[in-house]
Amino acid sequence: MFNKNVIEKFKTFSTPFYYYDLDLLRQTLDTLKKAADKYGYKIHYAVKANANPEILKIICSYGFGADCVSGNEVLKAIECGFHADKVVFAGVGKSDKEIIAALKNDIFCFNCESIQEMEIINELAESLNKTTRVALRLNPGIDAHTNQKINTGLADSKFGIDFNKLEDIVKTVLSLKNLQLIGLHYHIGSQILDPEPFKLLCERSNEMQSKLEKMGLHLDEINLGGGLGVDYYNPDENPVPEFEKLLDMIHENLDVKSGQHVHFEFGRSVVAQCGTMVSKVLYIKPATQTNFAIVDAGFTDLIRPALYGAYHKIENLTSESSQTKKYDVVGPICESTDVFDKGITLPETRRGDLLAFRTAGAYGEIMASQYNLRELPNVYYSEN
Ligand SMILES: *Cc1c(COP(=O)(O)O)cnc(C)c1O
């Protein structure tokens, strides 16, 4: 919900645009920091959710680290103020160039997803006369009960190394002279609202920990990844995710030995609610079953509905009508998947009305493209 002043301001902005409520971002970060500090947990923000420099700088000011999935994310995070010793680099397909950039910057840790990848990092580190820290990303074989397109912890997913092979893999890593194995890493998926998968993840982590102990190994770092979901349906009622509830539950279920550090990599839950995409209605086209509200934003501006069938709450910010109608809200792009939502009820909508697409701060602006040679969306902030 936006107050009158904010909506008046929106009328002066060029559409389509992203609007970030930086107060809400700070409120979210305060809540996360308090919940993490309670147990000394370390937070790395998942840069891929939103790499807008203004947002990165604010997140960095909380002392959090960065979780990166490309060489350019590593460089961007460092440029925006994150200390290299708090930067981790994950991903199934790190290129040689990306690995070299991360090695030269002495990042904290590579989260590795295959034996061959570790052999290559070892070789490249040797050629630079360096040793580097690595963690094994294990695929824990857990169903995160989320959208199948963002479920990553199942056995047939491309991510991670089968947890059943832990012992063999550890032996191989220990033979690679320029790598120092410091921990285990997991990430089971995204938009997870059910606590159960996180509980199963704690159990799996405990089990892996005992296997390592039997091998006489002690690893200091346990990284449980990100994945906490947000309330896309009720952004005004639940603007800040329940970090404390999740971390309390983890604390109860996870075995942590003295000297060990527990890490999380939250992306969506940090930035989703503070962002809104705003678009202007271009045309209303009546059809037999519905009315098309054709807006000036398309999947080039916000791709989540077209890519994953994701839901964003849509509100008409400017209609003064007391009548409602059913609409299919669609974009201008020449693809039939360029649909934001179908059959939704909105107050009577006209050309020139502004529609807000809520909870768009994560995987929104960062996924924008120039398909159809469209311009990238504009960006505005609650401050300045
Ligand atoms: C995407 C990703 C995250 C962040 O996931 P969210 O659901 O946005 O919290 C964390 N860790 C890794 C390795 C990822 O790929």
Side-chain angles (χ1 to χ4, degrees), residues 138 166 182-184 186 201-222 254-258 260-262:
L138 294 180
L166 179 71
I182 60 168
L184 297 181
Y186 310 86
L201 178 58
C202 292
E203 287 165 15
R204 186 69 79 212
S205 166
N206 299 345
E207 194 187 316
M208 295 299 108
Q209 177 115 297
S210 355
K211 283 196 183 181
L212 290 176
E213 272 168 20
K214 285 199 191 109
M215 299 176 75
L217 259 181
H218 173 95
L219 301 181
D220 277 340
E221 316 300 326
I222 303 175
L254 188 72
D255 286 347
V256 183
K257 305 277 185 272
S258 93
Q260 279 190 320
H261 310 119
V262 181

Side-chain angles (χ1 to χ4, degrees), residues 44-50 67-69 88-91 111 113 137 150 152 159 185-192 198 223-229 264-271 362-363:
H44 303 262
Y45 166 65
V47 173
K48 76 172 190 283
N50 188 321
D67 164 44
C68 302
V69 291
V88 298
F89 184 12
N111 292 332
E113 310 210 11
R137 175 167 177 181
I150 51 176
T152 60
F159 297 103
H185 173 232
Y186 310 86
H187 173 67
I188 54 175
S190 200
Q191 185 52 21
I192 304 167
F198 286 110
N223 184 334
L224 298 183
L228 178 62
F264 292 91
E265 303 166 336
F266 297 119
R268 183 191 311 276
S269 50
V270 176
V271 291
Y363 308 104

Side-chain angles (χ1 to χ4, degrees), residues 251-362:
H251 179 73
E252 288 213 343
N253 289 278
L254 188 72
D255 286 347
V256 183
K257 305 277 185 272
S258 93
Q260 279 190 320
H261 310 119
V262 181
H263 304 250
F264 292 91
E265 303 166 336
F266 297 119
R268 183 191 311 276
S269 50
V270 176
V271 291
Q273 296 292 16
C274 75
T276 302
M277 199 270 292
V278 178
S279 179
K280 195 176 270 177
V281 177
L282 293 173
Y283 305 108
I284 300 294
K285 180 158 78 169
T288 29
Q289 304 285 343
T290 185
N291 298 288
F292 289 106
I294 303 164
V295 300
D296 66 358
F299 72 54
T300 49
D301 305 287
L302 178 61
I303 201 176
R304 299 186 65 260
L307 187 61
Y308 320 114
Y311 174 81
H312 285 275
K313 187 172 189 197
I314 302 175
E315 293 166 353
N316 187 325
L317 300 178
T318 49
S319 172
E320 281 165 8
S321 172
S322 53
Q323 272 196 357
T324 62
K325 281 192 174 174
K326 285 228 187 283
Y327 295 94
D328 284 12
V329 178
V330 303
I333 296 163
C334 301
E335 296 281 348
S336 37
T337 57
D338 190 29
V339 172
F340 289 108
D341 210 345
K342 288 186 172 179
I344 61 165
T345 303
L346 291 174
E348 188 171 6
T349 296
R350 302 216 170 117
R351 172 175 166 85
D353 277 343
L354 294 178
L355 300 190
F357 297 72
R358 304 290 306 277
T359 320

